[in-house]
Amino acid sequence: MMSAQLSDNQTPLAVALSVRRLVEFLLRTGSIDSRFSGFDRANEGARIHRRLQRAAAKEHEDYKAEVALRQEYLCDSIAYTLEGRADGIFTREGIPVIEEIKSTTLPVPDITEDHAPEHWAQGQLYAAIYTLQNNLPQATVLLTYFQVDEELTVRFERTYTAEELDAIVHDLLHQYAPWARFAADWKQKSRSALQTLAFPFAGYRPGQRAMITEVYKICQDGGQLLCQAPTGIGKTMSVLFPALKAMGNGVEGPIFYLTARGTTRAAAESALALLRAGDTALSLRSVTLTAKDKICLCESRECTPDACPYANGYFDRIKDALWDALQDPSGALGAALLQEYARKHRVCPFEMGLDLSLWSDVIIGDYNYLFDPVVRLQRFFESRGDYLFLIDEAHNLPDRASEMHSATLEKTAFYQAKKDLGQGKSSLKTALSKVNSHFIEWRHRCEEEAAKPGAQFGQTIFETASDQTFDRLLSKLCEQLEIWLDEHREPDELHAELLQLYFDARSWLRVSETFDEHFVLQINSYGSKVRASMLCLDPSDFLAADFSLGRAAVLFSATLTPAAYYKDLCGLRQARAVALRSPFSQDHMTLLCAQNVSTRYRDREGSASTIVSYLAAMVRAHTGNYLAFFPSYAYMEKVYESFCTEHPNLTVCKQESTMNEEQRKAFLDQFVPHPAQSLLGFVVLGGVFGEGVDLTGDRLVGVAVIGPGLPQVNSRQEQLRDHFQKTRGSGFDYAYRFPGMNKVLQAAGRLIRTPEDRGVVLLFDDRFLSPDYLRLMPPHWSHLRTVYAEQDLEDALQAFWQEGTTDTPK
């Protein structure tokens, strides 16, 4: 049976589908087993593919790798577009051979010809497309397995006629038809409803219509937008609503709403709930991807069929679970609902959420689902799509991306692992000893560096190239760890320790493969401890590649100044940038700067008492809750102790260096509405209370920011400074001034959260009044005025609180 063609009078459902998604969805069986799949298996598989493809190209002159194939099929009145990439195609004795390559950790005896039907099916579908398009009578499917532990290649092959291949395709498409119709029906209902979707509020906040217009245009036309939108505009709704409207007007989607923190994911869920509540006919499915540890149904997470009943047989039950969850009338597949369906069908809720993402209009999750090369959603991002990326709190993205592309190892981990393996010799202990010895060599080099005249940062060395000798030792260690982990599968402390060491080592090797002029190798030694880090100084190229996978990206935050800096570091140098004015009345905030205070490191000892006096004056001027942000814990502790000594009758609280979620909540719970007496909280600038804290009304009436937030001068920041001085000519700005001022603006942004809020922002440091800092301040800070003494501050605050307006700017 040859492929049916579409006639002019047919209007079948149109379904685009990747070959891999089709065969894995229909044919994959068995269990989740993450013993070795937790680390970057996709990238490791890609490396193995390239290696085998290079070898095949030497053997076969006409070998072509990564051959893109695309073909339309008509089956059960559904117009399918199948597409994918064959790993390799060559000709042997006049017959085309389509090669499908798979890497595996299965023991060699378990790699049988029929152990994975989906692997054969993938090759068969590529062969079917290739024979149809080239009018060929037959083709051979070559299934090549590479056993990664033993580095052995196992091959199987079968030859099919074109008719046999076409029948296989149609059989699979027939099996998929109910799912295809369900998806197509949903899409038709969803997109039709989105066309008529109404804004869920009676009117727009100031600046909100402008933001919605900008976002809609970029989603519709494609491209990237950086939008600085101050608190109060309603950023979440202002990006989701126009993105959904764009999907209603022809953009395929889906929407990826990506955030740096869980609280902003909750804001996206709330915005979607408002849209659903305002339009009962709205067909809109969203899934919130929650970290595996938080959504796991087991007391301790171990994703193996022996340890987890939700992993055991997962692929045998998941289709029934998906079908059930997809019928849920709410369409809002958050963590609690995923757990409910997972318990019902005995499947992993985390993996179920990932599988449901393929059937969703909006996917809400952490940055790493797009930007982290290890955990990104490969099911979407193997190739470019019509995706819309909405990046919340985008000022966090450059630092988060740098972390994702960096790696750190410590000598202690390798020494301890060798010690915990106990007495006796083994290949694993030998490999651990060699890695440990290399750390010792690094320590000696650090000591020599520290002994040199003018050494600035003690026992620290930097290299502009990766250490290939160390990488080879680490690679050999990973081989031994894999053997040990395969032979010792009992879930005890030693197994967990060595498994983590294996993941950390593999992460290092992945980063090493990308090491170029954007990286630096840093070695620190302190006592017997040695830490090695490959630091990604500039993630812009990585981010540019990530953003290129979608149709449009909107990066939004209350603080994206200067725009050129964020466009540069996010790899979006041609992006459009807009800055919206605050919707709140300027009169509701008095903005003061204590010009006679220097918070430079050399001046901190002398300025502490002045800061104490100013803070006390601020707190006494009006009963309420206040936060004071300090550049370091040490400086905060010093001022805190002085404040408590000099003003024992004033109530204070202090951030601790380590606080869990409950302790952070308890800290913020002290900031009650309508307090009987003032409370002053001492916190660290850029810490957990510096952003994402929403103390509305009189729960917060004043914020003091001590210093311009410059990162501490250390070896890493100096490397950043040198890099950006060489590459941008703006080393100090990129490494210190811009990130510091962002922390200041975020901290000050804790104050005015609603149109009714009123309060004071008090800046400490004369540097705030220099042109380099004034140009980084938003338009609604144009009324900044200076105070030169405690009496000036008292007068200004008295006028503000009594009259309800700020003084005339000077």
Side-chain angles (χ1 to χ4, degrees):
M1 178 178 61
M2 297 304 291
S3 174
Q5 300 300 310
L6 304 181
S7 63
D8 292 338
N9 59 354
Q10 285 181 304
T11 56
L13 296 175
V15 175
L17 200 58
S18 79
V19 168
R20 181 171 179 173
R21 177 183 172 185
L22 173 65
V23 301
E24 289 189 349
F25 181 78
L26 291 176
L27 301 178
R28 192 174 184 183
T29 59
S31 305
I32 297 170
D33 192 341
S34 65
R35 271 178 285 244
F36 297 110
S37 61
F39 169 79
D40 201 13
R41 181 60 65 188
N43 284 325
E44 184 181 15
R47 292 191 290 271
I48 292 170
H49 275 54
R50 292 191 294 269
R51 173 178 166 184
L52 295 179
Q53 287 165 338
R54 287 193 297 268
K58 293 179 180 178
E59 184 179 353
H60 307 284
E61 290 185 1
D62 65 341
Y63 189 92
K64 296 179 181 178
E66 302 299 324
V67 180
L69 296 170
R70 188 172 186 271
Q71 179 62 40
E72 289 186 353
Y73 287 90
L74 180 62
C75 181
D76 295 341
S77 299
I78 301 172
Y80 290 97
T81 301
L82 288 182
E83 55 187 344
R85 288 182 178 272
D87 292 328
I89 297 179
F90 63 95
T91 303
R92 186 176 60 199
E93 298 179 358
I95 298 175
V97 179
I98 284 73
E99 183 177 29
E100 183 62 28
I101 301 171
K102 300 294 182 185
S103 59
T104 180
T105 58
L106 279 176
V108 173
D110 293 344
I111 305 175
T112 61
E113 188 169 1
D114 294 310
H115 84 276
E118 69 271 19
H119 296 165
W120 279 115
Q122 197 168 346
Q124 290 162 349
L125 265 62
Y126 292 140
I129 296 172
Y130 190 78
T131 55
L132 177 64
Q133 293 180 345
N134 293 278
N135 195 27
L136 298 170
Q138 60 183 333
T140 295
V141 175
L142 174 62
L143 190 52
T144 299
Y145 288 104
F146 184 83
Q147 212 288 338
V148 297
D149 299 331
E150 301 186 32
E151 295 196 350
L152 290 177
T153 303
V154 181
R155 290 186 172 91
F156 306 102
E157 63 177 71
R158 296 172 181 172
T159 300
Y160 304 88
T161 65
E163 289 77 10
E164 289 172 330
L165 292 169
D166 198 65
I168 291 170
V169 174
H170 280 81
D171 177 60
L172 291 172
L173 295 179
H174 176 70
Q175 292 182 50
Y176 192 76
W179 296 90
R181 289 196 187 91
F182 176 84
D185 289 346
W186 177 269
K187 181 179 177 181
Q188 185 178 21
K189 286 194 302 182
S190 172
R191 300 311 184 258
S192 176
L194 290 176
Q195 285 181 357
T196 59
L197 180 65
F199 192 63
F201 302 109
Y204 296 94
R205 297 180 183 180
Q208 192 168 37
R209 183 189 290 272
M211 185 173 178
I212 288 172
T213 300
E214 292 283 356
V215 173
Y216 178 80
K217 180 174 175 55
I218 212 74
C219 290
Q220 198 70 40
D221 299 344
Q224 295 91 30
L225 172 71
L226 269 73
C227 185
Q228 178 170 284
T231 299
I233 285 180
K235 293 187 287 293
T236 304
M237 186 63 75
S238 298
V239 295
L240 275 170
F241 176 71
L244 289 168
K245 292 295 287 184
M247 285 176 58
N249 288 313
V251 175
E252 185 72 19
I255 294 168
F256 291 86
Y257 190 102
L258 304 176
T259 76
R261 295 178 296 107
T263 52
T264 42
R265 290 193 282 281
E269 291 178 318
S270 298
L272 293 177
L274 281 172
L275 290 169
R276 292 185 178 103
D279 186 349
T280 55
L282 181 62
S283 296
L284 180 65
R285 184 180 297 116
S286 62
V287 62
T288 302
L289 303 179
T290 305
K292 190 179 293 187
D293 285 333
K294 291 187 176 182
I295 202 172
C296 182
L297 296 173
C298 300
E299 288 187 9
S300 61
R301 179 172 65 83
E302 185 182 347
C303 306
T304 65
D306 294 334
C308 178
Y310 304 100
N312 187 23
Y314 174 87
F315 296 107
D316 302 325
R317 298 186 295 274
I318 186 56
K319 285 195 285 293
D320 287 341
L322 291 177
W323 189 265
D324 194 10
L326 290 172
Q327 316 303 316
D328 189 88
S330 74
L333 299 169
L337 201 56
L338 289 176
Q339 289 177 321
E340 179 182 329
Y341 282 110
R343 286 192 182 93
K344 178 179 178 182
H345 293 276
R346 208 155 48 89
V347 295
C348 169
F350 175 76
E351 293 291 339
M352 183 185 184
L354 297 180
D355 287 333
L356 282 166
S357 67
L358 290 166
W359 305 86
S360 298
D361 307 301
V362 182
I363 298 153
I364 304 168
D366 189 84
Y367 287 166
N368 58 22
Y369 290 111
L370 171 60
F371 302 112
D372 192 314
V374 176
V375 299
R376 73 172 50 170
L377 298 174
Q378 295 290 346
R379 63 194 71 203
F380 288 100
F381 303 133
E382 287 183 329
S383 59
R384 189 181 186 279
D386 206 33
Y387 311 128
L388 302 178
F389 301 134
L390 307 180
I391 313 300
D392 198 358
E393 295 184 319
H395 62 275
N396 289 307
L397 183 58
D399 282 347
R400 279 287 303 274
S402 291
E403 293 172 6
M404 292 172 189
H405 290 277
S406 299
T408 295
L409 294 171
E410 296 198 8
K411 175 184 178 297
T412 305
F414 299 91
Y415 176 80
Q416 189 64 44
K418 179 187 174 184
K419 183 178 178 181
D420 291 343
L421 283 167
Q423 299 295 322
K425 297 181 179 180
S426 70
S427 299
L428 175 56
K429 292 178 72 174
T430 299
L432 286 165
S433 294
K434 290 181 178 180
V435 172
N436 186 66
S437 295
H438 200 88
F439 272 100
I440 293 174
E441 292 176 15
W442 273 336
R443 185 176 68 204
H444 293 329
R445 289 183 56 199
C446 288
E447 292 168 350
E448 293 170 1
E449 183 67 23
K452 293 180 180 178
Q456 190 176 5
F457 296 108
Q459 298 186 28
T460 303
I461 58 175
F462 290 95
E463 301 287 349
T464 56
S466 60
D467 190 321
Q468 296 185 5
T469 301
F470 179 74
D471 293 347
R472 285 193 293 269
L473 293 174
L474 209 58
S475 181
K476 291 184 180 298
L477 172 61
C478 285
E479 294 174 8
Q480 296 302 320
L481 282 169
E482 287 175 355
I483 294 170
W484 190 95
L485 290 166
D486 191 47
E487 293 175 349
H488 303 77
R489 299 193 176 194
E490 58 278 7
D492 56 17
E493 290 184 8
L494 181 58
H495 185 279
E497 176 188 359
L498 294 182
L499 182 62
Q500 186 60 54
L501 187 63
Y502 172 77
F503 288 157
D504 292 343
R506 294 307 304 244
S507 179
W508 178 280
L509 292 172
R510 174 189 61 79
V511 172
S512 180
E513 288 195 349
T514 64
F515 197 107
D516 58 14
E517 67 274 9
H518 298 93
F519 288 79
V520 67
L521 173 63
Q522 177 178 350
I523 314 297
N524 295 95
S525 174
Y526 37 102
S528 62
K529 297 182 179 180
V530 186
R531 176 186 291 125
S533 301
M534 285 187 291
L535 303 175
C536 177
L537 303 175
D538 179 0
S540 57
D541 286 352
F542 293 116
L543 291 175
D546 296 335
F547 283 121
S548 71
L549 296 170
R551 174 192 187 90
V554 179
L555 291 75
F556 57 102
S557 169
T559 54
L560 287 176
T561 301
Y565 165 73
Y566 286 101
K567 287 166 63 175
D568 183 8
L569 284 192
C570 293
L572 303 176
R573 296 175 183 87
Q574 303 304 314
R576 174 168 167 73
V578 296
L580 304 174
R581 295 187 67 89
S582 172
F584 301 141
S585 171
Q586 198 176 52
D587 292 343
H588 280 206
M589 181 181 80
T590 185
L591 180 63
L592 306 169
C593 179
Q595 187 179 18
N596 63 323
V597 175
S598 170
T599 64
R600 295 168 180 85
Y601 189 78
R602 65 179 182 270
D603 300 326
R604 289 182 182 178
E605 188 73 26
S607 63
S609 62
T610 306
I611 292 173
V612 167
S613 298
Y614 273 119
L615 290 177
M618 178 179 71
V619 171
R620 285 178 172 142
H622 180 80
T623 301
N625 300 317
Y626 298 81
L627 281 173
F629 290 88
F630 289 82
S632 70
Y633 277 101
Y635 198 31
M636 179 187 76
E637 290 282 359
K638 179 173 181 57
V639 176
Y640 174 81
E641 291 176 4
S642 297
F643 191 95
C644 293
T645 300
E646 295 181 28
H647 305 283
N649 296 326
L650 295 178
T651 306
V652 296
C653 58
K654 176 169 62 75
Q655 176 184 353
E656 301 298 334
S657 58
T658 56
M659 298 178 77
N660 59 32
E661 193 169 332
E662 289 183 3
Q663 291 170 325
R664 293 196 294 268
K665 182 179 182 301
F667 180 88
L668 292 175
D669 285 345
Q670 299 175 79
F671 292 73
V672 297
H674 318 303
Q677 59 184 5
S678 290
L679 171 68
L680 175 60
F682 287 71
V683 295
V684 174
L685 190 62
V688 294
F689 301 114
E691 59 179 276
V693 172
D694 202 21
L695 299 172
T696 59
D698 60 0
R699 290 191 66 193
L700 187 68
V701 299
V703 167
V705 183
I706 292 84
L710 304 183
Q712 181 183 3
V713 177
N714 56 37
S715 55
R716 182 183 183 277
Q717 290 303 124
E718 288 300 285
Q719 287 293 313
L720 283 170
R721 179 175 181 164
D722 291 346
H723 173 80
F724 288 114
Q725 188 62 38
K726 292 174 183 175
T727 59
R728 313 295 202 276
S730 303
F732 183 80
D733 282 345
Y734 273 58
Y736 292 100
R737 182 177 288 119
F738 293 162
M741 194 60 186
N742 186 280
K743 289 186 287 186
V744 171
L745 295 173
Q746 281 290 325
R750 299 313 95 211
L751 183 64
I752 305 296
R753 310 298 295 176
T754 73
E756 293 75 32
D757 292 355
R758 298 181 69 245
V760 55
V761 171
L762 176 58
L763 307 176
F764 288 88
D765 203 286
D766 58 288
R767 284 172 287 184
F768 282 117
L769 302 173
S770 71
D772 285 335
Y773 286 91
L774 288 172
R775 67 186 174 92
L776 300 178
M777 294 183 181
H780 61 279
W781 278 27
S782 61
H783 62 312
L784 173 69
R785 61 166 293 179
T786 60
V787 291
Y788 298 90
E790 185 179 337
Q791 188 62 51
D792 289 341
L793 176 62
E794 292 175 354
D795 292 344
L797 293 177
Q798 184 179 19
F800 173 73
W801 290 118
Q802 288 183 351
E803 300 174 15
T805 60
T806 55
D807 293 323
T808 303
K810 293 184 180 180

